[in-house]
Amino acid sequence: MTSSTVHSRSGSRVGRRRVGAARIGVLLAVLPVMAGTYVAVTSGGIYVDYRKFRDQMVVHGRLAQTMDDQKILQALQSSAERLDLPAGATANIRIQRAVAVREIHIESEYEEIIELPFYRWAVKLRPSVRVSF
């Protein structure tokens, strides 16, 4: 970093100005924003897939009156494969019906890995819906 002396119009010395200090200040202010954006983009896709899978659970829960559990299970497994979810999402799908109250409860559990440059984070996701039909 270089310094230069600033003079007034009369020629008297006003003070020293640090050249480049503003650039470093801006860089330090932008750095956390960029890091946060990187983490959000990296983990955002996982959240979007979670919501899509959960929406499919709701759709098939509403169709429970016309579909048996095996068909619902197959449809949800194919949805999980289309979304490229981990194998645990398809293996852990549980369907429970409450015939007396005409309700179905569908749930699953799986783990996603978020890899950042110096950190690896395992996130356990548990999509679950309870739908009356």
Side-chain angles (χ1 to χ4, degrees):
M1 218 180 286
T2 61
S3 297
S4 63
T5 304
V6 179
H7 298 279
S8 68
R9 287 186 182 183
S10 64
S12 63
R13 189 173 139 203
V14 175
R16 297 179 70 88
R17 185 177 63 163
R18 298 179 73 183
V19 178
R23 291 182 188 157
I24 291 175
V26 170
L27 179 64
L28 292 176
V30 171
L31 189 63
V33 172
M34 294 303 292
T37 302
Y38 178 79
V39 170
V41 168
T42 303
S43 61
I46 292 171
Y47 179 72
V48 168
D49 289 344
Y50 166 83
R51 293 297 300 185
K52 286 180 181 178
F53 187 52
R54 190 175 175 285
D55 289 344
Q56 286 298 310
M57 288 179 164
V58 170
V59 167
H60 290 92
R62 289 183 181 150
L63 297 173
Q65 190 172 5
T66 59
M67 295 175 74
D68 65 350
D69 290 355
Q70 190 61 35
K71 287 183 182 178
I72 293 172
L73 181 63
Q74 289 172 350
L76 289 174
Q77 286 173 338
S78 69
S79 293
E81 289 173 7
R82 255 192 325 276
L83 292 170
D84 200 28
L85 296 180
T90 58
N92 295 326
I93 297 174
R94 291 175 297 283
I95 300 172
Q96 299 171 337
R97 288 183 187 252
V99 180
V101 291
R102 298 183 65 174
E103 186 176 78
I104 187 167
H105 183 222
I106 305 171
E107 62 185 357
S108 182
E109 182 178 324
Y110 62 98
E111 190 172 279
E112 287 275 6
I113 306 294
I114 299 173
E115 293 193 32
L116 301 174
F118 300 108
Y119 189 69
R120 187 174 179 171
W121 186 24
V123 180
K124 189 166 278 200
L125 299 166
R126 294 181 183 101
S128 176
V129 297
R130 191 175 298 271
V131 181
S132 297
F133 56 90

